[in-house]
Amino acid sequence: MHRTLIVARMDPADSDAVAEIFRDSDATELPELIGIRARSLFAFNGLYFHLTEADHDPTQRLYAHRESPLFQDVNTRLAKYMSPYLPSWREPKDSMAAQFYSWERK
């Protein structure tokens, strides 16, 4: 299992709107195109955490579909609610947390 955690800034009052954007997107073929099997969204003190789970690292597939109208729609709609955690943000990988420990019950 490959997990990716994306961190950004979001007003907690916007949680429902952001969830709706992903509900709409997850009803399309985009998650399958990218290879995402599960998604969880979290809010904490003005921060947004977006956990995705996939069988394999979806980074290459994500970048391959960045110009897709489905991907562009999600990004355009989210832009109203999100801001980068770091001002130096340039692309999606700049908002991905680095995993430094993992454990799973066998």
Side-chain angles (χ1 to χ4, degrees):
M1 174 76 61
H2 186 276
R3 293 178 182 94
T4 301
L5 182 64
I6 298 165
V7 180
R9 297 185 189 281
M10 178 190 81
D11 183 333
D14 294 331
S15 295
D16 289 342
V18 171
E20 181 178 339
I21 292 167
F22 279 106
R23 239 186 320 280
D24 292 348
S25 176
D26 290 339
T28 72
E29 65 272 13
L30 186 60
E32 186 174 344
L33 290 172
I34 296 173
I36 302 301
R37 185 159 31 132
R39 176 186 329 278
S40 300
L41 305 176
F42 302 86
F44 179 75
N45 289 337
L47 295 177
Y48 155 89
F49 299 93
H50 179 162
L51 177 67
T52 60
E53 296 178 274
D55 292 326
H56 306 284
D57 183 350
T59 305
Q60 284 187 321
R61 291 170 77 176
L62 170 75
Y63 279 88
H65 292 283
R66 281 180 72 188
E67 300 306 318
S68 154
L70 293 171
F71 188 88
Q72 290 297 315
D73 178 60
V74 171
N75 276 346
T76 300
R77 292 173 66 193
L78 286 175
K80 178 178 177 181
Y81 304 105
M82 300 287 156
S83 62
Y85 180 75
L86 294 174
S88 60
W89 188 94
R90 299 283 178 258
E91 58 183 300
K93 72 176 184 176
D94 295 337
S95 64
M96 294 179 186
Q99 181 174 320
F100 61 94
Y101 176 79
S102 180
W103 176 87
E104 287 186 41
R105 177 181 229 121
K106 300 290 180 191

